[in-house]
Structures are given as C-alpha cells and as structure tokens.
Amino acid sequence: MNINSKNQNIILDTVGVMSLVSDKMCHIRNNGEPLPSIESVSEIVALCRAVIFPGFFGNSNVTSSNLEYHIGLNMERLYDLLNEQIAAGLCLVNENGLDKSEDIAANFISKLPELKSILATDVESTYLADPAATSTSEVIYCYPSIRATSAYRIANLLHRLGVPVIPRMITELAHSETGIDIHPAATIGESFTIDHGTGVVVGATSIIGHHVKIYQGVTLGAKSFDLDENNNPIKGIPRHPIIGNNVIIYSNTSILGRITIGDNAVIGGNLWITHDVAAGERLTQAPCKHNDN
C-alpha cells in the first residue's frame, strides 16, 4: 500500500502518542513476564469442574476403573496452567510471581477435596429447593447457578491464597456465561442456592451464611461510599450486606449497605432494603388497597 508523506506523518505522530509509556492503558513487559490469558483461565475453570464433577464436565468416558487416571491427567494439566497464570497475575501487579506461583498452585490443588465437599452441598440444596429439578445430575449438567457458584468458589479460593487478577477473570467469565455476578472476594457459606439466577449481583464485601437461597435479580450491593480527598470512593471498606443462615431472598430485591439480615429471615420480592432485618422477620410489600367505588 502506498501512503503519501502527509498521511504517513499523521500515522507516525499517532503511533508516538499511542505508545506513551506513562499511559495507564498500556502494560509494558520489561523482562518478558507472562501475561494472563483469558483462554488459559477459562481452561483452568473447565479443568477444576472436570476434577470436581468427573464425567459431568470434561471427558465423558469416565468409569470406575479409569476415574483416577482421568482425574490425575486433568490435575497435571491444571497444575501447569495454574502455575503459569498465577505467575502472570502476580507479575501484572509487579510482584515476582515466578517465585510464588508453584507453591500457590500446589496449595490450591491440595484444597480441591474441600472445594468438592462444599460444592456438593450447593448441588444438594439446589436440588432439594427446586421442585422442577428431577435429579442432582440435572442440576450439575443444566443449572447456571452451579456454573456460577463453582466458578465463584474456585475464584474465591485463589483470592484467599493471595492471587490477584485471575480470580476476577474467573468470575467475570461466569458472569458472561450465566448473567450471575459474584465477586470473588465475597464470603459465602455452604448449601448456597440461586434459583434461576439472571441478574444476581453479590458485592465484594458481602457475607452470606449457610443454607441461603436467593432468586433472580437480587442485588447485595453498596448504598453509599466513603470518599477520599479527590472525591473518589475509598477502597477496601466493608460496604455490602451480611446475610445470616437459612435466609430466603425473593426476586428483584436490592439489599444495600453494611446491614445485617438475621437468621431465618424471609425477604419478599421487589423490595429496597437499607436497614437491619431481625432474625425470623418476614418482609413483604404492603398489599394494594382496592377502591370498590
């Protein structure tokens, strides 16, 4: 392609502007450090699911005689990818990831049995809570809530092990896949159930107890933010709700701020809640008054 000198100068000037090292939109690799890969992170999630739910995810030719072989094969690949992507995440925030990634990857893998046990409670509670579910197999195969919750629990474990960036990539992949947005830093107890799920949002500092069920469109969000001297929200301050044990939250309800919903509370649909709710309390919309005249 022939470019006249005027247009070539425009292109060169633009290249210079776009190449500014100080630009926050540019990430410079000083020594060939690895960068996170969305494809590799997606494979990590797939491998974790294949190890936790063998036969349901990954190779479907799993039998009692080759189960250990399939799990071992997936585990080796998982370790390699974790090592690579954890190092990339640490390098991205200017930590020496290559010195830490192997130990973190091994630590993560050692906790997979615990992760499997917790996810088993999520599957069982989802099956028992939904009269339309015909089996736990159907729940694992078909329900977006299990995909979102499994991604969250994988990401949360990595987050607790001090891995940056990668956990958020994992939950955003699940968000794109399911419409369920759970921050990896949120704390969620056992036997967690999401019914339908589309539009669910769980903020970073949310704390959810055991045996909690929420429906589509529920938001556990922030009401307001403490601001710094530049009028920007201060990061790291707890700002999302604390949900007790055995709580049910129905569809399209927003629970906002660092408030507490007590154990065994039932929160009706389409509510806007910014105050504490007592244990055992039931909140519903006021009934409409009909004018018979």
Side-chain angles (χ1 to χ4, degrees):
M1 179 185 297
N2 293 321
I3 305 175
N4 62 44
S5 58
K6 176 184 175 182
N7 290 340
Q8 188 172 35
N9 287 335
I10 291 173
I11 292 171
L12 291 173
D13 289 343
T14 304
V15 168
V17 173
M18 296 297 290
S19 302
L20 290 174
V21 172
S22 61
D23 192 330
K24 292 181 179 180
M25 303 296 288
C26 178
H27 179 73
I28 301 298
R29 300 171 67 191
N30 295 319
N31 298 300
E33 303 93 339
L35 288 176
S37 160
I38 195 68
E39 292 81 11
S40 295
V41 170
S42 180
E43 188 178 350
I44 285 171
V45 175
L47 288 166
C48 284
R49 288 172 175 163
V51 167
I52 293 168
F53 303 112
F56 290 102
F57 295 95
N59 193 318
S60 60
N61 297 318
V62 174
T63 66
S64 58
S65 60
N66 66 20
L67 176 61
E68 188 172 338
Y69 166 78
H70 280 291
I71 291 176
L73 200 64
N74 287 326
M75 202 83 80
E76 287 185 7
R77 174 63 176 163
L78 176 60
Y79 173 80
D80 289 342
L81 280 178
L82 279 169
N83 184 21
E84 170 192 290
Q85 292 305 302
I86 290 170
L90 289 166
C91 288
L92 193 65
V93 295
N94 298 318
E95 293 188 31
N96 191 350
L98 299 178
D99 291 341
K100 303 177 182 179
S101 58
E102 289 188 8
D103 289 343
I104 295 174
N107 198 356
F108 176 91
I109 284 176
S110 74
K111 296 181 184 301
L112 283 174
E114 176 186 345
L115 201 64
K116 181 183 179 77
S117 295
I118 295 173
L119 279 165
T121 71
D122 299 329
V123 170
E124 183 70 12
S125 64
T126 299
Y127 167 67
L128 293 174
D130 186 359
T134 61
S135 66
T136 54
S137 294
E138 180 186 18
V139 168
I140 295 170
Y141 263 130
C142 304
Y143 279 42
S145 62
I146 298 304
R147 290 180 176 270
T149 303
S150 61
Y152 154 75
R153 295 208 184 276
I154 293 163
N156 176 255
L157 176 53
L158 288 169
H159 170 78
R160 288 187 282 115
L161 292 172
V163 178
V165 182
I166 306 304
R168 191 63 186 271
M169 291 173 70
I170 289 172
T171 53
E172 290 302 333
L173 280 168
H175 184 193
S176 298
E177 181 183 19
T178 66
I180 298 170
D181 182 4
I182 307 175
H183 195 282
T187 301
I188 301 177
E190 296 179 2
S191 300
F192 182 52
T193 302
I194 303 175
D195 202 339
H196 302 296
T198 305
V200 163
V201 177
V202 178
T205 62
S206 300
I207 299 175
I208 299 174
H210 303 303
H211 300 281
V212 171
K213 181 178 183 180
I214 63 178
Y215 285 77
Q216 70 273 14
V218 166
T219 296
L220 305 182
K223 178 184 177 184
S224 59
F225 305 95
D226 293 330
L227 303 178
D228 62 17
E229 65 276 8
N230 297 316
N231 212 34
N232 295 317
I234 299 173
K235 299 181 184 297
I237 295 177
R239 60 195 182 277
H240 299 105
I242 300 171
I243 309 299
N245 301 317
N246 303 302
V247 171
I248 300 175
I249 307 170
Y250 285 95
S251 59
N252 300 314
T253 282
S254 294
I255 302 177
L256 306 178
R258 194 60 165 185
I259 62 174
T260 298
I261 308 299
D263 293 349
N264 304 301
V266 177
I267 312 298
N270 299 296
L271 297 177
W272 180 273
I273 299 172
T274 57
H275 59 274
D276 290 345
V277 176
E281 189 171 352
R282 301 175 68 90
L283 294 186
T284 60
Q285 287 190 0
C288 296
K289 293 183 179 180
H290 296 282
N291 188 344
D292 295 330
N293 295 330

